Amino acid sequence: MASIFNFDIPASNAGKTCSLVFLLPKQSDLQTSSFTLSGNGGIDFSSLSGTANSQTTFASAPKVSQEFGVTKVSPGNSYNIASFSCPAGQTVSFELQASGDTMLTFFQDFNPSPIGLYITVC
């Protein structure tokens, strides 16, 4: 499993702190989404040097600019992957890649309960 996520950071977030968070609720808490998770739950999170578009492939993906390391995830939890100065007015990309024997598929959704990768502003 590997996925790239682009986030547009509004200019109004200048001077604020952004946090990259991964949410994996319990299956029973989901109303309009679902997921499957097997293996050790390890996911390697990274920021990328550029953004992805509809033509991006595994071979053409932007290079990793910063590794955040492997986080072991399990249902019913949220994870603060990294905090950083908001790159106000920019589009930034992050990659999730399975580590070890992890297999994770999910439909990103904000309905109760939210699932997936998000940026929050403090």
Side-chain angles (χ1 to χ4, degrees):
M1 172 212 70
S3 295
I4 296 174
F5 294 80
N6 290 338
F7 294 95
D8 296 319
I9 309 298
S12 60
N13 288 339
K16 298 179 181 174
T17 299
C18 285
S19 292
L20 183 69
V21 297
F22 184 74
L23 309 176
L24 188 63
K26 294 178 183 174
Q27 191 78 40
S28 60
D29 293 334
L30 297 172
Q31 291 181 5
T32 59
S33 188
S34 65
F35 69 89
T36 58
L37 173 66
S38 63
N40 67 0
I43 300 177
D44 189 11
F45 293 88
S46 306
S47 64
L48 301 178
S49 61
T51 57
N53 61 43
S54 62
Q55 304 303 312
T56 301
T57 66
F58 183 78
S60 68
K63 296 197 180 309
V64 170
S65 62
Q66 184 175 2
E67 282 275 347
F68 298 125
V70 174
T71 299
K72 294 220 175 182
V73 302
S74 62
N77 292 290
S78 61
Y79 303 89
N80 184 2
I81 305 304
S83 293
F84 45 88
S85 278
C86 291
Q90 299 178 38
T91 300
V92 292
S93 293
F94 298 91
E95 180 181 53
L96 286 80
Q97 194 160 15
S99 177
D101 63 349
T102 298
M103 293 293 296
L104 173 65
T105 59
F106 66 95
F107 174 73
Q108 176 118 358
D109 198 358
F110 64 89
N111 287 314
S113 283
I115 181 172
L117 192 67
Y118 295 89
I119 289 186
T120 60
V121 179
C122 304

